[in-house]
Amino acid sequence: AQSVTQLGSHVSVSEGALVLLRCNYSSSVPPYLFWYVQYPNQGLQLLLKYTSAATLVKGINGFEAEFKKSETSFHLTKPSAHMSDAAEYFCAVSDDGGTSYGKLTFGQGTILTVHP
Amino acid sequence: DAGVIQSPRHEVTEMGQEVTLRCKPISGHDYLFWYRQTMMRGLELLIYFNNNVPIDDSGMPEDRFSAKMPNASFSTLKIQPSEPRDSAVYFCASSLSRVAGELFFGEGSRLTVL
């Protein structure tokens, strides 16, 4: 069975600083990996996804993530944080080659706080 | 195009009452998912449908929970009888089968069972 571990339930950065949200996965087959963002009182929306193409994946709002098989990691980064990035971020994995198209296992989430 | 629409947005009920949550997926999407979000357990997949047929309901916590999708544009999640531990935010999401893992979530239904 697949699983995802997000290191750090809360991350706080200053506006303009680097954002790094950590995600490690466990999967018995080549995984599909995703990052979703949830703003207060809203549903989740897809930031980016890795589906076995390029290992460096670019998403919306300046975020990107790099798939590292040797480290079983898929960390999310953004060079310069903006106040509007404050939200909860979820890493997710699908370990069946995507054939279930959305049967995702989500991590526990990381709340990002951005200070002025 | 409108996104996934859920109703009600908020529901407060008393233990033992029946609760029905509703979802209208994005038109043309052939997968529909029901997730539950709590502080303790995070996001849990309850059940999902493909072309209106339930594919996997292994996440449904117990027989008090049931879900239906009578047509491509409507789904319900019912809890009968409700219990305080069912208090959570319930999300509906839909997706296209050819776009792996790209789920579109509704804004959720926040359920409080007293």
Coordinates of all heavy atoms in Angstrom, one line a residue, chain B residues 37-100:
Chain B
Q37 N -12.7 14.9 5.7 CA -11.5 15.6 6.3 C -11.7 15.9 7.8 O -12.7 16.6 8.1 CB -11.1 16.9 5.5 CG -9.8 17.5 6.0 CD -9.5 18.8 5.2 OE1 -10.3 19.6 4.8 NE2 -8.2 19.0 4.9
T38 N -10.9 15.4 8.6 CA -10.9 15.7 10.0 C -9.5 16.1 10.5 O -8.5 15.7 9.9 CB -11.4 14.5 10.9 OG1 -10.5 13.4 10.7 CG2 -12.8 14.1 10.5
M39 N -9.4 16.7 11.6 CA -8.1 17.1 12.2 C -7.3 15.8 12.5 O -6.1 15.7 12.3 CB -8.3 18.0 13.4 CG -8.8 19.3 13.1 SD -7.6 20.3 12.3 CE -6.4 20.5 13.6
M40 N -8.0 14.8 13.1 CA -7.4 13.7 13.6 C -6.9 12.7 12.5 O -5.8 12.2 12.5 CB -8.3 12.9 14.5 CG -8.5 13.6 15.8 SD -7.0 13.9 16.8 CE -6.6 12.2 17.2
R41 N -7.7 12.6 11.4 CA -7.5 11.6 10.4 C -7.1 12.1 9.1 O -6.8 11.4 8.1 CB -8.7 10.6 10.3 CG -9.0 9.9 11.6 CD -10.3 9.1 11.4 NE -10.2 8.0 10.5 CZ -9.8 6.8 10.9 NH1 -9.5 6.5 12.2 NH2 -9.7 5.8 10.0
G42 N -7.1 13.4 9.0 CA -6.8 14.1 7.7 C -7.8 13.8 6.6 O -9.0 13.7 6.9
L43 N -7.4 13.6 5.4 CA -8.3 13.4 4.3 C -8.4 11.9 4.0 O -7.4 11.2 3.8 CB -7.7 14.0 3.0 CG -8.1 15.5 2.7 CD1 -7.1 16.1 1.8 CD2 -9.5 15.6 2.2
E44 N -9.6 11.4 4.0 CA -9.8 9.9 3.8 C -10.8 9.8 2.6 O -11.8 10.4 2.6 CB -10.5 9.3 5.0 CG -9.8 9.5 6.3 CD -10.7 9.0 7.5 OE1 -11.5 9.8 7.9 OE2 -10.5 7.8 7.9
L45 N -10.4 8.9 1.7 CA -11.3 8.5 0.6 C -12.4 7.6 1.2 O -12.1 6.5 1.7 CB -10.5 7.9 -0.5 CG -11.4 7.4 -1.7 CD1 -12.1 8.6 -2.4 CD2 -10.5 6.6 -2.7
L46 N -13.6 8.0 1.0 CA -14.8 7.1 1.4 C -15.2 6.2 0.3 O -15.3 5.0 0.6 CB -15.9 8.0 1.9 CG -15.7 9.0 3.0 CD1 -16.9 9.9 3.3 CD2 -15.2 8.3 4.2
I47 N -15.4 6.7 -0.9 CA -16.0 5.9 -2.0 C -15.7 6.7 -3.2 O -15.6 7.9 -3.2 CB -17.5 5.7 -1.8 CG1 -18.1 4.7 -2.8 CG2 -18.3 7.0 -1.7 CD1 -19.5 4.3 -2.6
Y48 N -15.6 5.9 -4.4 CA -15.6 6.6 -5.6 C -16.3 5.8 -6.7 O -16.5 4.6 -6.6 CB -14.2 7.0 -6.1 CG -13.3 5.8 -6.6 CD1 -13.2 5.6 -8.0 CD2 -12.5 5.1 -5.7 CE1 -12.3 4.7 -8.5 CE2 -11.7 4.1 -6.2 CZ -11.6 3.9 -7.6 OH -10.7 2.9 -8.1
F49 N -16.8 6.6 -7.7 CA -17.6 6.1 -8.8 C -16.9 6.3 -10.1 O -16.2 7.3 -10.3 CB -19.0 6.8 -8.8 CG -19.8 6.6 -7.6 CD1 -19.6 7.4 -6.5 CD2 -20.9 5.7 -7.6 CE1 -20.4 7.3 -5.3 CE2 -21.7 5.6 -6.5 CZ -21.5 6.4 -5.3
N50 N -17.2 5.4 -11.0 CA -16.8 5.6 -12.4 C -18.0 5.4 -13.3 O -18.6 4.3 -13.2 CB -15.7 4.6 -12.8 CG -15.3 4.8 -14.3 OD1 -15.0 3.8 -14.9 ND2 -15.2 6.0 -14.8
N51 N -18.3 6.4 -14.1 CA -19.6 6.3 -14.9 C -20.8 5.8 -14.1 O -21.5 5.0 -14.5 CB -19.3 5.3 -16.1 CG -18.3 5.9 -17.1 OD1 -18.3 7.1 -17.3 ND2 -17.5 5.0 -17.6
N52 N -20.9 6.4 -12.9 CA -22.1 6.3 -12.0 C -22.0 4.9 -11.2 O -22.9 4.7 -10.4 CB -23.4 6.4 -12.7 CG -23.5 7.6 -13.7 OD1 -22.7 8.5 -13.5 ND2 -24.3 7.5 -14.7
V53 N -21.0 4.1 -11.5 CA -21.0 2.8 -10.8 C -20.0 2.9 -9.6 O -18.8 3.3 -9.9 CB -20.5 1.7 -11.8 CG1 -20.4 0.4 -11.1 CG2 -21.5 1.6 -12.9
P54 N -20.4 2.5 -8.4 CA -19.4 2.5 -7.3 C -18.3 1.5 -7.6 O -18.5 0.3 -7.9 CB -20.3 2.1 -6.1 CG -21.4 1.4 -6.7 CD -21.7 2.0 -8.0
I55 N -17.0 1.9 -7.5 CA -15.9 1.1 -7.8 C -15.2 0.6 -6.5 O -14.8 -0.6 -6.4 CB -14.8 1.9 -8.6 CG1 -15.5 2.4 -9.9 CG2 -13.6 1.0 -8.9 CD1 -16.0 1.3 -10.8
D56 N -15.1 1.4 -5.5 CA -14.4 1.1 -4.3 C -15.1 1.8 -3.1 O -15.0 3.0 -3.1 CB -13.0 1.4 -4.4 CG -12.1 1.0 -3.2 OD1 -12.7 0.6 -2.2 OD2 -10.9 1.0 -3.2
D57 N -15.7 1.1 -2.2 CA -16.3 1.7 -1.1 C -15.7 1.2 0.2 O -16.2 1.3 1.3 CB -17.8 1.4 -1.0 CG -18.1 -0.1 -0.8 OD1 -17.2 -0.9 -0.8 OD2 -19.3 -0.4 -0.7
S58 N -14.4 0.8 0.1 CA -13.7 0.2 1.3 C -13.5 1.3 2.3 O -13.2 1.0 3.5 CB -12.4 -0.4 0.8 OG -11.6 0.5 0.2
G59 N -13.5 2.6 2.0 CA -13.3 3.6 2.9 C -14.5 4.1 3.7 O -14.4 4.8 4.6
M60 N -15.7 3.5 3.3 CA -16.9 3.9 4.1 C -16.8 3.3 5.5 O -16.6 2.1 5.6 CB -18.1 3.3 3.3 CG -18.3 3.9 1.9 SD -18.9 5.6 2.0 CE -20.6 5.3 1.7
P61 N -16.9 4.1 6.5 CA -16.6 3.7 7.8 C -17.5 2.6 8.4 O -17.0 1.7 9.1 CB -16.7 5.0 8.7 CG -17.4 6.0 7.8 CD -17.2 5.6 6.4
E62 N -18.8 2.6 8.0 CA -19.7 1.6 8.5 C -21.0 1.7 7.8 O -21.2 2.5 6.9 CB -19.9 1.7 10.1 CG -20.2 3.2 10.5 CD -20.0 3.3 12.0 OE1 -20.9 3.0 12.8 OE2 -18.9 3.8 12.4
D63 N -21.9 0.7 8.2 CA -23.1 0.6 7.4 C -24.0 1.9 7.5 O -25.0 2.0 6.8 CB -23.9 -0.6 7.9 CG -23.2 -1.9 7.5 OD1 -22.3 -1.8 6.6 OD2 -23.6 -2.9 8.1
R64 N -23.7 2.7 8.5 CA -24.5 3.9 8.6 C -24.3 4.9 7.4 O -25.1 5.8 7.2 CB -24.2 4.7 9.9 CG -24.5 3.9 11.1 CD -24.2 4.7 12.4 NE -22.8 5.1 12.5 CZ -22.3 6.3 12.3 NH1 -23.1 7.3 11.9 NH2 -21.0 6.6 12.4
F65 N -23.2 4.7 6.7 CA -22.9 5.5 5.5 C -23.3 4.8 4.2 O -23.1 3.6 4.1 CB -21.4 5.8 5.5 CG -20.9 6.7 6.5 CD1 -20.9 6.4 7.8 CD2 -20.4 8.0 6.1 CE1 -20.4 7.3 8.8 CE2 -20.0 8.9 7.0 CZ -19.9 8.6 8.4
S66 N -23.9 5.6 3.3 CA -24.2 5.1 2.0 C -24.1 6.2 1.0 O -24.3 7.3 1.3 CB -25.6 4.5 2.0 OG -26.6 5.5 2.3
A67 N -23.8 5.8 -0.2 CA -23.6 6.8 -1.3 C -24.3 6.2 -2.6 O -24.2 5.0 -2.8 CB -22.1 7.1 -1.5
K68 N -24.8 7.2 -3.3 CA -25.4 6.8 -4.6 C -25.1 7.8 -5.6 O -24.7 9.0 -5.4 CB -27.0 6.8 -4.4 CG -27.5 5.7 -3.5 CD -29.0 5.8 -3.4 CE -29.6 4.7 -2.5 NZ -31.0 4.7 -2.4
M69 N -25.1 7.3 -6.9 CA -24.9 8.2 -8.0 C -26.0 7.8 -9.1 O -25.7 7.0 -10.0 CB -23.5 8.2 -8.5 CG -23.2 9.3 -9.5 SD -21.5 9.4 -9.8 CE -21.5 10.9 -10.9
P70 N -27.2 8.3 -9.0 CA -28.2 7.9 -9.9 C -28.0 8.3 -11.3 O -28.6 7.7 -12.2 CB -29.5 8.6 -9.3 CG -29.0 9.7 -8.5 CD -27.6 9.3 -8.0
N71 N -27.2 9.4 -11.5 CA -26.9 9.8 -12.9 C -25.6 10.6 -12.9 O -25.0 10.8 -11.8 CB -28.1 10.7 -13.5 CG -28.4 11.9 -12.6 OD1 -27.5 12.7 -12.5 ND2 -29.6 12.0 -12.1
A72 N -25.2 10.9 -14.1 CA -23.8 11.5 -14.2 C -23.7 12.9 -13.6 O -22.6 13.4 -13.5 CB -23.5 11.6 -15.7
S73 N -24.8 13.5 -13.2 CA -24.7 14.9 -12.7 C -25.1 15.0 -11.3 O -25.3 16.1 -10.8 CB -25.6 15.8 -13.6 OG -26.9 15.4 -13.5
F74 N -25.2 13.9 -10.5 CA -25.7 14.0 -9.2 C -25.3 12.8 -8.3 O -25.3 11.7 -8.8 CB -27.2 14.1 -9.2 CG -27.8 14.3 -7.8 CD1 -27.6 15.5 -7.1 CD2 -28.6 13.3 -7.2 CE1 -28.2 15.7 -5.9 CE2 -29.2 13.5 -6.0 CZ -29.0 14.7 -5.3
S75 N -24.8 13.1 -7.1 CA -24.5 12.1 -6.2 C -24.9 12.5 -4.8 O -24.9 13.7 -4.5 CB -23.0 11.8 -6.2 OG -22.6 10.8 -5.2
T76 N -25.2 11.5 -3.9 CA -25.5 11.8 -2.5 C -24.7 10.9 -1.6 O -24.3 9.8 -2.0 CB -27.0 11.6 -2.2 OG1 -27.3 10.2 -2.5 CG2 -27.9 12.5 -3.0
L77 N -24.4 11.5 -0.5 CA -23.8 10.7 0.6 C -24.7 10.8 1.8 O -25.0 11.9 2.2 CB -22.4 11.3 1.0 CG -21.6 10.6 2.1 CD1 -21.2 9.2 1.8 CD2 -20.4 11.4 2.5
K78 N -25.1 9.7 2.3 CA -26.1 9.7 3.4 C -25.6 9.1 4.6 O -24.9 8.0 4.6 CB -27.4 9.0 2.9 CG -28.5 9.0 3.9 CD -29.8 8.4 3.3 CE -30.4 9.2 2.2 NZ -31.7 8.6 1.7
I79 N -25.9 9.7 5.8 CA -25.5 9.1 7.1 C -26.8 8.9 7.9 O -27.5 9.9 8.1 CB -24.5 10.0 7.8 CG1 -23.3 10.4 6.9 CG2 -24.0 9.3 9.1 CD1 -22.4 11.5 7.5
Q80 N -27.0 7.7 8.3 CA -28.2 7.4 9.0 C -28.0 6.2 9.9 O -27.8 5.1 9.4 CB -29.4 7.1 8.1 CG -30.6 6.5 8.7 CD -31.3 7.3 9.7 OE1 -31.1 8.6 9.8 NE2 -32.2 6.7 10.5
P81 N -28.1 6.3 11.2 CA -28.2 7.6 12.0 C -26.9 8.3 12.2 O -25.8 7.6 12.2 CB -28.8 7.1 13.3 CG -28.1 5.7 13.5 CD -28.1 5.2 12.1
S82 N -26.9 9.6 12.3 CA -25.6 10.3 12.5 C -25.1 10.2 13.9 O -26.0 10.0 14.9 CB -25.8 11.8 12.1 OG -26.8 12.4 12.8
E83 N -23.8 10.3 14.1 CA -23.2 10.3 15.4 C -22.2 11.5 15.5 O -21.7 11.9 14.5 CB -22.5 9.0 15.7 CG -23.4 7.8 15.7 CD -22.7 6.5 16.0 OE1 -21.4 6.5 16.2 OE2 -23.3 5.4 16.0
P84 N -21.9 11.9 16.7 CA -21.0 13.1 16.9 C -19.6 12.8 16.2 O -19.0 13.8 15.7 CB -20.8 13.2 18.4 CG -22.2 12.7 19.0 CD -22.6 11.6 18.0
R85 N -19.2 11.6 16.2 CA -17.9 11.3 15.6 C -17.9 11.4 14.0 O -16.9 11.3 13.4 CB -17.4 9.9 15.9 CG -18.3 8.8 15.5 CD -17.9 7.5 16.1 NE -18.9 6.4 16.0 CZ -18.6 5.2 15.5 NH1 -17.4 4.9 15.1 NH2 -19.6 4.3 15.5
D86 N -19.1 11.6 13.5 CA -19.2 11.9 12.0 C -18.9 13.3 11.7 O -18.9 13.7 10.5 CB -20.6 11.5 11.5 CG -20.9 10.0 11.8 OD1 -20.0 9.2 11.8 OD2 -22.1 9.7 12.0
S87 N -18.8 14.2 12.7 CA -18.5 15.6 12.4 C -17.2 15.7 11.7 O -16.2 15.2 12.1 CB -18.5 16.3 13.8 OG -19.7 16.3 14.4
A88 N -17.3 16.4 10.5 CA -16.1 16.5 9.6 C -16.5 17.4 8.5 O -17.7 17.9 8.4 CB -15.7 15.2 9.1
V89 N -15.6 17.7 7.6 CA -15.9 18.3 6.3 C -15.9 17.2 5.3 O -14.9 16.5 5.2 CB -14.9 19.4 6.0 CG1 -15.2 20.1 4.7 CG2 -14.8 20.5 7.1
Y90 N -16.9 17.2 4.5 CA -17.0 16.1 3.5 C -16.9 16.8 2.1 O -17.6 17.8 1.8 CB -18.4 15.5 3.6 CG -18.5 14.6 4.8 CD1 -18.8 15.2 6.1 CD2 -18.3 13.2 4.8 CE1 -18.9 14.4 7.2 CE2 -18.4 12.4 5.9 CZ -18.7 13.0 7.1 OH -18.7 12.3 8.2
F91 N -15.9 16.3 1.4 CA -15.6 16.9 0.1 C -16.1 15.9 -1.0 O -15.9 14.7 -0.9 CB -14.1 17.1 -0.1 CG -13.6 18.3 0.7 CD1 -12.9 18.1 1.8 CD2 -13.8 19.6 0.2 CE1 -12.5 19.2 2.6 CE2 -13.4 20.7 0.9 CZ -12.7 20.5 2.1
C92 N -16.6 16.5 -2.1 CA -16.8 15.7 -3.3 C -15.8 16.2 -4.3 O -15.5 17.4 -4.3 CB -18.3 16.0 -3.8 SG -18.7 15.3 -5.3
A93 N -15.3 15.3 -5.2 CA -14.4 15.7 -6.2 C -14.7 14.9 -7.5 O -15.2 13.8 -7.4 CB -13.0 15.5 -5.8
S94 N -14.4 15.5 -8.6 CA -14.6 14.8 -9.8 C -13.4 14.9 -10.7 O -12.5 15.8 -10.5 CB -15.9 15.3 -10.6 OG -15.7 16.6 -11.1
S95 N -13.3 14.0 -11.7 CA -12.1 14.0 -12.6 C -12.4 13.3 -13.9 O -13.4 12.6 -14.0 CB -10.9 13.4 -11.9 OG -11.1 12.0 -11.8
L96 N -11.6 13.6 -14.8 CA -11.6 12.9 -16.1 C -10.7 11.7 -16.1 O -9.5 11.9 -15.7 CB -11.2 13.9 -17.2 CG -12.3 14.8 -17.8 CD1 -11.6 15.8 -18.7 CD2 -13.3 14.0 -18.5
S97 N -11.1 10.6 -16.6 CA -10.3 9.4 -16.5 C -9.0 9.5 -17.3 O -8.0 8.9 -16.9 CB -11.1 8.2 -17.1 OG -11.5 8.5 -18.4
R98 N -8.9 10.4 -18.3 CA -7.7 10.4 -19.0 C -6.7 11.4 -18.5 O -5.6 11.6 -19.0 CB -8.0 10.8 -20.5 CG -8.7 12.2 -20.7 CD -8.9 12.4 -22.2 NE -9.6 13.7 -22.4 CZ -10.9 13.8 -22.4 NH1 -11.6 12.8 -22.1 NH2 -11.4 15.0 -22.6
V99 N -7.0 12.1 -17.4 CA -6.1 13.0 -16.7 C -5.8 12.5 -15.3 O -6.5 12.8 -14.4 CB -6.7 14.4 -16.7 CG1 -5.7 15.4 -16.1 CG2 -7.2 14.9 -18.0
A100 N -4.8 11.7 -15.2 CA -4.5 11.0 -14.0 C -4.4 11.9 -12.8 O -3.5 12.7 -12.7 CB -3.3 10.1 -14.1

